[in-house]
Amino acid sequence: MENVVIIGSGPSGHTAAIYCARANLAPVMLEGLMAGGIAAGGQLTTTTEVENYPGFPDGISGPELMERMRAQSLRCGTRIITETVERLECSARPFRVIGDAGTVLEAKAVIIATGATARRMNLPGEERLWQRGISACAVCDGALPLFRNKVLVVVGGGDSAAEEALHLTKYSANVILMHRREELRASRVMQKRVLENSRIRVMWNTVPLEIVGDKFVDALRVQDVKTGVVSELPCGGLFYAIGHQPNTAFLNNQIQLDDIGYVLTAPGSTRTSLEGVFACGDVQDRRYRQAITAAGSGCMAALEVERFLDGGH
Ligand code: FAD
Ligand code: NDP
C-alpha cells in the first residue's frame, strides 16, 4: 500500500513529489508515456527557452528544466514508473491506480497532475515549423527575438485569444486577431480592450488553411469563410488560442469536473470533490497555466496530502 501516488510528471507533479518525498511519504509517480500526446516531463518538453522560471537568469531549455526536476524528485526518494494511468478506481478505499502496462497500485491518497494540452489545428506546415514561428502560448514565447516587430497572428476568439493578442502588442504594433466568426466569445471587458487597441486588427470570419515558410513562418494561407476567397497573409508568427484540453478522460467522471473537463478544486486548495484525491497544475487551472503556478500548486497538494494522511483536513 502506497501513501501517495502522483499521476503526471510536469512541474506540478515533480514539485508535489519533491515535497512528499521530503516528508517521508515515499511517493510513487506514474510519469506517463506520451500521455495526452506529451512526453514525460510535460508541456515544457515541447518548448525551447524558458525565460520566466525563477532561478535561471540566462533562461533554460524546457527539456533541461524538466530533466532537472525529475533528477531532484529521484534524489529526494520518489519512485518513478514510466507508464500512463488508464484508470483510477476511487469508489472504495484504498484507491487503485491502474497503468496501461500492467502496474496496479493501491494508495491512501492520489495527486492528479496530468496537465492540459493546448489544442492545435494540425495545418499543413505546422509540424515542420512548430516553435519556428508557431506557438500555443504567447505569454511564454512572445518575448522571443523571433517575434519582435513582426506581423503576429493570434487564432481564436475567446478570452485567451484576447489576452494573448493584448500581450503581443508589447512586442509588435501589428497584431492580428483571426476569428472564424464575426463575434468574439471573449468577455465584454476583454473584447473592449482588444477592439480599442490600435495595435490589434481583428480579421473576422477567417481561418488559416496552411502555414507557409522555409525555415520560419513567412505567411499564412487563409480563407474568408463567408466568401470562400483564399489569400496569402504575410506574417512572422502564429499563436493558437483555441482552447486547452485538460487530461482528465481517465478519471471517468468519478471526480467533479467543470464544463470543459478541468478538475474542480476547493478555492485556495487542491482538494477535489473526493476526499483523499488532490489535483494540482494545469489540470485544475484554466486561468494561469504557467510552470511556476503549476509548481506552486504541486507544493500545496503535497502539504495537503501530508495533513490528510496525518488525519487532519
Ligand atoms: P504538464 O506540464 O502538462 O504535464 C503533465 C504531464 O502528465 C505530461 O507529461 C502528461 O504526459 C502526463 N500525463 C497526462 N495524462 C497522464 C496519465 N493518464 N498518466 C500519466 N501521466 C499523464 N510556462 C511558463 O511558465 N513558462 C514558459 O516559458 C512556458 N512555455 C510554454 C511553451 C509551450 C509550447 C507550452 C505548451 C506551454 C508553456 N508553458 C510555459 C506552460 C507550462 O508548460 C505549463 O503551465 C506547465 O507545464 C503545467 O504543468 P503541469 O505539471 O500542470 O502539467
Ligand atoms: P474558449 O473555448 O473560450 O475559446 C476558444 C476560441 O477558439 C473560441 O473563440 C473558438 O471559436 C475558437 N476556436 C476553437 N476551435 C477552433 C478552430 N478549430 N478553429 C478556429 N477557431 C477555433 O477558450 P479560452 O482558452 O479562450 O478560454 C477558456 C476559459 O478560460 C474561458 O472560460 C475563459 O473565460 C477563461 N479565461 C479567462 C481569462 C480571463 O478572465 N482573463 C483569460 C483566459 C481564459 P468560437 O467562438 O467560434 O467557438
Side-chain angles (χ1 to χ4, degrees):
M1 162 87 78
E2 312 296 339
N3 289 312
V4 55
V5 170
I6 298 162
I7 308 173
S9 54
S12 67
H14 279 301
T15 306
I18 291 162
Y19 273 78
C20 286
R22 286 176 50 79
N24 288 327
L25 297 178
V28 182
M29 171 187 282
L30 280 105
E31 67 177 349
L33 187 62
M34 293 311 289
I38 300 174
Q43 293 172 62
L44 288 185
T45 63
T46 68
T47 191
T48 48
E49 282 302 284
V50 178
E51 294 185 330
N52 53 10
Y53 198 85
F56 300 94
D58 302 320
I60 181 167
S61 89
E64 189 189 344
L65 179 58
M66 293 320 302
E67 259 313 306
R68 286 176 174 231
M69 287 195 198
R70 190 177 192 276
Q72 195 170 353
S73 292
L74 285 170
R75 193 181 66 80
C76 291
T78 307
R79 182 154 68 92
I80 299 182
I81 301 172
T82 305
E83 208 170 311
T84 297
V85 172
E86 70 178 14
R87 209 162 75 246
L88 173 64
E89 292 177 359
C90 38
S91 54
R93 309 298 165 93
F95 303 121
R96 279 161 58 86
V97 183
I98 293 140
D100 64 357
T103 294
V104 178
L105 298 172
E106 293 193 331
K108 296 178 196 165
V110 170
I111 296 178
I112 300 164
T114 47
T117 307
R119 294 177 58 213
R120 290 163 57 166
M121 293 182 77
N122 300 312
L123 298 176
E126 181 169 320
E127 207 48 54
R128 194 167 43 84
L129 294 167
W130 183 252
Q131 292 293 313
R132 294 167 176 271
I134 315 173
S135 163
C137 183
V139 176
C140 319
D141 296 334
L144 295 175
L146 161 77
F147 295 117
R148 297 272 165 151
N149 301 316
K150 299 272 178 62
V151 177
L152 303 177
V153 177
V154 177
V155 180
D159 277 323
S160 294
E163 208 164 70
E164 304 237 319
L166 288 163
H167 182 79
L168 289 174
T169 59
K170 291 184 189 165
Y171 314 112
S172 165
N174 213 334
V175 176
I176 294 172
L177 184 64
M178 185 179 290
H179 186 36
R180 62 182 174 184
R181 293 189 290 136
E182 53 197 0
E183 190 189 357
L184 293 174
R185 178 182 293 279
S187 55
R188 289 214 178 283
V189 57
M190 295 301 278
Q191 289 194 30
K192 190 165 182 287
R193 279 186 210 157
V194 164
L195 298 173
E196 286 178 357
N197 193 311
S198 61
R199 295 178 152 231
I200 302 174
R201 174 163 71 94
V202 183
M203 257 176 116
W204 304 105
N205 300 314
T206 309
V207 290
L209 297 178
E210 184 184 349
I211 304 159
V212 182
D214 181 15
K215 288 203 174 84
F216 297 98
V217 172
D218 290 329
L220 294 180
R221 221 160 58 78
V222 302
Q223 182 170 39
D224 182 318
V225 293
K226 283 222 149 154
T227 62
V229 171
V230 174
S231 57
E232 192 158 298
L233 175 69
C235 67
L238 169 65
F239 292 83
Y240 285 133
I242 57 170
H244 282 70
Q245 195 53 51
N247 298 314
T248 50
F250 73 103
L251 293 172
N252 234 338
N253 290 319
Q254 298 170 91
I255 290 168
Q256 264 183 21
L257 309 176
D258 73 6
D259 54 335
I260 301 177
Y262 286 90
V263 176
L264 285 173
T265 49
S269 158
T270 62
R271 277 181 285 123
T272 68
S273 58
L274 203 67
E275 202 175 10
V277 178
F278 301 81
C280 54
D282 283 15
V283 77
Q284 52 84 59
D285 172 13
R286 57 196 261 180
R287 179 153 197 166
Y288 298 108
R289 295 189 299 233
Q290 295 296 299
I292 191 68
T293 48
S297 68
C299 162
M300 287 166 64
L303 297 178
E304 289 181 319
V305 162
E306 196 181 347
R307 203 170 316 144
F308 169 74
L309 293 175
D310 280 347
H313 289 286

